[in-house]
Amino acid sequence: MKIGILGTGNVAKVVGAKLRSLGHEVTLGSRDPENSPAKEWAARHGAEISTLAQAAAAAELVVNTAPGLASLDVLTTAGTDNLDGKVVVDVSNGIESRNGVVAVATPDGGSVAEQLQKAFPRARIVKTLNTMAAQVMVDPGRIPGHHTVFLNGDDAAAKAEVAELLKSFGWTEAQIVDLGDVVGARATEAALLLFIRLFNAFQTPEFNLSVAKA
Amino acid sequence: MKIGILGTGNVAKVVGAKLRSLGHEVTLGSRDPENSPAKEWAARHGAEISTLAQAAAAAELVVNTAPGLASLDVLTTAGTDNLDGKVVVDVSNGIESRNGVVAVATPDGGSVAEQLQKAFPRARIVKTLNTMAAQVMVDPGRIPGHHTVFLNGDDAAAKAEVAELLKSFGWTEAQIVDLGDVVGARATEAALLLFIRLFNAFQTPEFNLSVAKA
């Protein structure tokens, strides 16, 4: 599948490498592809690097790895028409500093995913993978025992497509928990605070949230 | 131990019944003990019911089960002097409606627990148990497999004391995760959104969050 990844940071690279290893065509979208530090990475991994608009235009599926508060601007630059009808996997988290403490940014009083779905009503936003470290996203087997990846979005078919992608990463059906519509992204974006605290407590990102059920 | 529970709702009753079954002396604190619907419950469970101030004054350990946004007022009515030097187990969650959607209330830009610790600096606030349903708080064995109870607070000795209380409820050392100082209550209070979404997805409160670790 042709996949456009918006962003060139660590998550983009880790997810991009996994997608390449699964045989997908990967294009990283950058504001400045010629001068991006990810240019060498792309060459090394058989991926392309292009503008945000080019990456979105060529893609069958888009992955947003931009920071939460930059995501609206990044997707706007990628272009409404280039996102039309496409599944947009949103792994972003909106964070800001509030009196020196990391806080969850809630654009328009909601979540990044809702903000994007509202701004691009014909894009099919699926929020997922945003509750864990990048290496766990694409290699769930590195964490032993039961643990969970959450899905939110308004489009059931889009969520089903993303669930298949997650399974190709190694996630099992039982690990994938559908939390309902895009408003539910508030829950998983807010869980970033828990992630940060757990990271501080364990001094490693090698963990994941899980849900135990009777 | 003499335990004062502030509040007379479902959490107060479920936690109170467990504490009674463990042999503790339990007093529910109510704004109007004579007319409280919990009066009969108290009689039936060998517990007392009294004013908030009386319940706090007599207690060696206090449990706050008031709603998050009411907690400051409830503890103020209970009385600063009556909380002095005492461990206050805060199981509250602050919720409010934002455009018809349940949102986490963040008093003073932080959390309920921080608000209480700031207002009552000589009380020893320990945030815990607020990420699950009442029946799971006092009976973790009803949820199979590994799952987690979080602790936050500024006072390490108070947290150790609360950890012992949790163990008497059936929690194991491995299930108790210390998330650090009281500011960390932002993380667990924000997890209420995840709880609500999971409750909606599963249509039962018989679940709990867990942390899987490599």
Side-chain angles (χ1 to χ4, degrees), chain B residues 33-177:
Chain B
E34 282 312 310
N35 297 303
S36 171
K39 201 174 168 180
E40 219 183 309
W41 178 92
R44 211 164 54 242
H45 287 79
E48 305 290 322
I49 184 159
S50 70
T51 65
L52 291 163
Q54 286 165 333
E60 297 166 276
L61 180 142
V62 174
V63 182
N64 173 41
T65 69
L69 291 183
S71 292
L72 179 61
D73 189 48
V74 163
L75 267 70
T76 300
T77 305
T80 302
D81 290 350
N82 293 331
L83 301 171
D84 228 28
K86 292 178 186 170
V87 174
V88 177
V89 180
D90 177 28
V91 307
S92 74
N93 280 307
I95 64 172
E96 61 190 4
S97 175
R98 205 182 290 159
N99 301 324
V101 181
V102 175
V104 172
T106 51
D108 306 328
S111 60
V112 176
E114 289 165 83
Q115 184 189 40
L116 298 179
Q117 188 61 79
K118 199 173 163 191
F120 307 98
R122 291 189 307 279
R124 305 155 73 199
I125 308 286
V126 178
K127 190 94 201 184
T128 192
L129 292 170
N130 59 309
T131 50
M132 67 194 78
Q135 66 268 37
V136 179
M137 294 179 187
V138 300
D139 185 15
R142 67 193 298 143
I143 309 293
H146 182 70
H147 57 104
T148 300
V149 59
F150 302 105
L151 278 184
N152 286 96
D154 288 344
D155 186 317
K159 283 195 283 192
E161 195 177 317
V162 173
E164 289 308 311
L165 189 69
L166 293 174
K167 286 179 199 164
S168 76
F169 287 0
W171 295 95
T172 64
E173 185 81 33
Q175 290 181 295
I176 302 172
V177 174

Side-chain angles (χ1 to χ4, degrees), chain A residues 132-194:
Chain A
M132 66 195 77
Q135 65 268 36
V136 179
M137 295 179 187
V138 300
D139 185 14
R142 67 193 298 142
I143 308 294
H146 182 70
H147 56 105
T148 301
V149 59
F150 302 105
L151 278 183
N152 286 97
D154 288 343
D155 186 317
K159 283 194 284 193
E161 195 177 317
V162 174
E164 289 308 311
L165 189 68
L166 293 175
K167 286 178 198 165
S168 77
F169 287 179
W171 294 95
T172 65
E173 186 82 31
Q175 290 181 293
I176 302 172
V177 174
D178 186 335
L179 287 181
D181 69 7
V182 71
V183 176
R186 295 179 192 196
T188 62
E189 291 184 20
L192 178 70
L193 294 179
L194 202 50

Side-chain angles (χ1 to χ4, degrees), chain A residues 56-96:
Chain A
E60 298 166 275
L61 180 142
V62 174
V63 182
N64 172 41
T65 69
L69 292 182
S71 291
L72 179 61
D73 189 50
V74 163
L75 267 71
T76 300
T77 305
T80 301
D81 291 350
N82 293 330
L83 301 171
D84 228 27
K86 292 180 186 170
V87 174
V88 177
V89 180
D90 176 27
V91 307
S92 73
N93 280 308
I95 63 171
E96 61 190 4

Side-chain angles (χ1 to χ4, degrees), chain B residues 15-29:
Chain B
V15 172
K18 181 68 176 189
L19 291 169
R20 282 295 301 135
S21 79
L22 293 169
H24 296 290
E25 294 176 42
V26 172
T27 303
L28 299 189

Side-chain angles (χ1 to χ4, degrees), chain A:
Chain A
M1 192 190 279
K2 290 181 180 181
I3 298 180
I5 300 179
L6 308 182
T8 58
N10 182 55
V11 174
K13 287 172 184 162
V14 172
V15 173
K18 180 68 175 189
L19 291 168
R20 282 297 301 135
S21 79
L22 293 169
H24 297 290
E25 294 176 42
V26 171
T27 303
L28 299 189
S30 165
R31 289 192 185 281
D32 186 5
E34 282 311 310
N35 297 304
S36 171
K39 201 174 169 180
E40 219 183 308
W41 179 93
R44 211 165 53 240
H45 287 81
E48 304 290 321
I49 184 159
S50 69
T51 65
L52 291 163
Q54 287 166 334
E60 298 166 275
L61 180 142
V62 174
V63 182
N64 172 41
T65 69
L69 292 182
S71 291
L72 179 61
D73 189 50
V74 163
L75 267 71
T76 300
T77 305
T80 301
D81 291 350
N82 293 330
L83 301 171
D84 228 27
K86 292 180 186 170
V87 174
V88 177
V89 180
D90 176 27
V91 307
S92 73
N93 280 308
I95 63 171
E96 61 190 4
S97 176
R98 205 181 289 159
N99 300 325
V101 181
V102 174
V104 172
T106 52
D108 305 329
S111 60
V112 175
E114 290 165 83
Q115 183 189 41
L116 298 178
Q117 188 60 79
K118 198 172 165 191
F120 308 98
R122 292 190 306 280
R124 305 157 72 200
I125 308 287
V126 179
K127 189 94 202 185
T128 193
L129 293 171
N130 60 309
T131 50
M132 66 195 77
Q135 65 268 36
V136 179
M137 295 179 187
V138 300
D139 185 14
R142 67 193 298 142
I143 308 294
H146 182 70
H147 56 105
T148 301
V149 59
F150 302 105
L151 278 183
N152 286 97
D154 288 343
D155 186 317
K159 283 194 284 193
E161 195 177 317
V162 174
E164 289 308 311
L165 189 68
L166 293 175
K167 286 178 198 165
S168 77
F169 287 179
W171 294 95
T172 65
E173 186 82 31
Q175 290 181 293
I176 302 172
V177 174
D178 186 335
L179 287 181
D181 69 7
V182 71
V183 176
R186 295 179 192 196
T188 62
E189 291 184 20
L192 178 70
L193 294 179
L194 202 50
F195 178 87
I196 293 170
R197 276 278 158 171
L198 289 165
F199 179 81
N200 288 339
F202 299 152
Q203 294 290 310
T204 167
E206 295 285 337
F207 64 87
N208 193 19
L209 289 178
S210 174
V211 183
K213 230 181 120 185

